[in-house]
Amino acid sequence: MNTLYTISLYLHSWNRWIVLAAGVAVIAMALNGCRKQCEYGKQHKIASLIFMSSLHLQLLLGLLLYFVFSPITMHALSDFGAAMKNSTLRFWAVEHSFLNIVAIVLAQTGSILVKRKADARSKHKSTIIWMGIAFVLILLMIPMGFMGEARPWFRL
Ligand code: HEM
């Protein structure tokens, strides 16, 4: 395996745990905030910042893999029509990449809207809706065997 490919694949693989842990924290804290009607405080902002930063890093690494390093997507891009007939190539070239980009755009939109909301309850509610939908999409498209494609949970 090419070194830069290996490095980006490993980073992309491990960063998925930061994405998942931060996503769970953001949604759980917003649910709790809504239920207990508490302030949208510093801890909510920090959790959201970690979630968004891990998503941005995941997007950057994903784009690098997609267009530069991954032999799978290189192969798919060389004949896109044929790749669409192969479920594995289609997963990596379209489903995983495109739907995760949609998820990241939804999370980013949510994070902007939350900042614009005036009261704590609306902030918590917007977080639950936008981050929640983004998180479900990420879970559906993550190659951990939930929807077909399975890769190692811990790449060592
Ligand atoms: C939150 C978003 C994302 C998560 C959680 C995620 C997660 C993963 C995981 C767990 C793998 C398997 C790594 C391994 O084999 O150990 C993977 C592979 C891959 N991801 Fe993502 N990904 C995300 C977004 C993206 C995006 C936006 C793109 C492209 C624009 C992308 C492109 C790829 C490619 C091309 C591979 C396969 C590379 C290869 O095996 O050659 N990912 N992703």
Side-chain angles (χ1 to χ4, degrees):
M1 251 200 237
N2 165 306
T3 317
L4 289 174
Y5 172 47
T6 312
I7 293 171
S8 23
L9 185 63
Y10 272 60
L11 287 175
H12 194 71
S13 190
W14 280 98
N15 188 48
R16 138 257 314 248
W17 292 111
I18 301 179
V19 168
L20 294 180
V24 168
V26 164
I27 295 163
M29 284 163 81
L31 283 169
N32 202 33
C34 234
R35 202 165 47 88
K36 293 188 177 159
Q37 305 200 348
C38 58
E39 271 310 298
Y40 186 88
K42 200 176 170 190
Q43 72 277 24
H44 298 96
K45 287 184 192 157
I46 292 174
S48 177
L49 180 70
I50 295 173
F51 184 46
M52 288 316 303
S53 307
S54 66
L55 284 179
H56 290 155
L57 177 62
Q58 200 68 342
L59 175 63
L60 181 70
L61 291 165
L63 289 172
L64 265 179
L65 282 166
Y66 194 99
F67 290 109
V68 187
F69 298 129
S70 168
I72 301 175
T73 47
M74 288 298 110
H75 179 57
L77 291 176
S78 69
D79 186 347
F80 209 72
M84 291 307 98
K85 295 184 184 116
N86 177 313
S87 63
T88 302
L89 289 180
R90 195 175 58 237
F91 176 81
W92 294 112
V94 181
E95 293 154 10
H96 175 78
S97 315
F98 177 70
L99 287 177
N100 273 319
I101 289 176
V102 171
I104 294 167
V105 169
L106 290 176
Q108 183 65 62
T109 309
S111 119
I112 293 167
L113 291 179
V114 166
K115 283 185 192 127
R116 290 191 187 156
K117 299 278 178 195
D119 61 296
R121 192 174 160 73
S122 320
K123 283 179 186 282
H124 291 310
K125 271 175 88 177
S126 287
T127 305
I128 294 165
I129 294 166
W130 290 92
M131 304 297 184
I133 297 172
F135 194 75
V136 169
L137 267 183
I138 291 168
L139 274 187
L140 288 176
M141 283 304 124
I142 207 163
M144 292 170 80
F146 307 140
M147 293 285 283
E149 287 302 316
R151 285 289 180 89
W153 282 34
F154 302 98
R155 195 175 269 283
L156 300 168

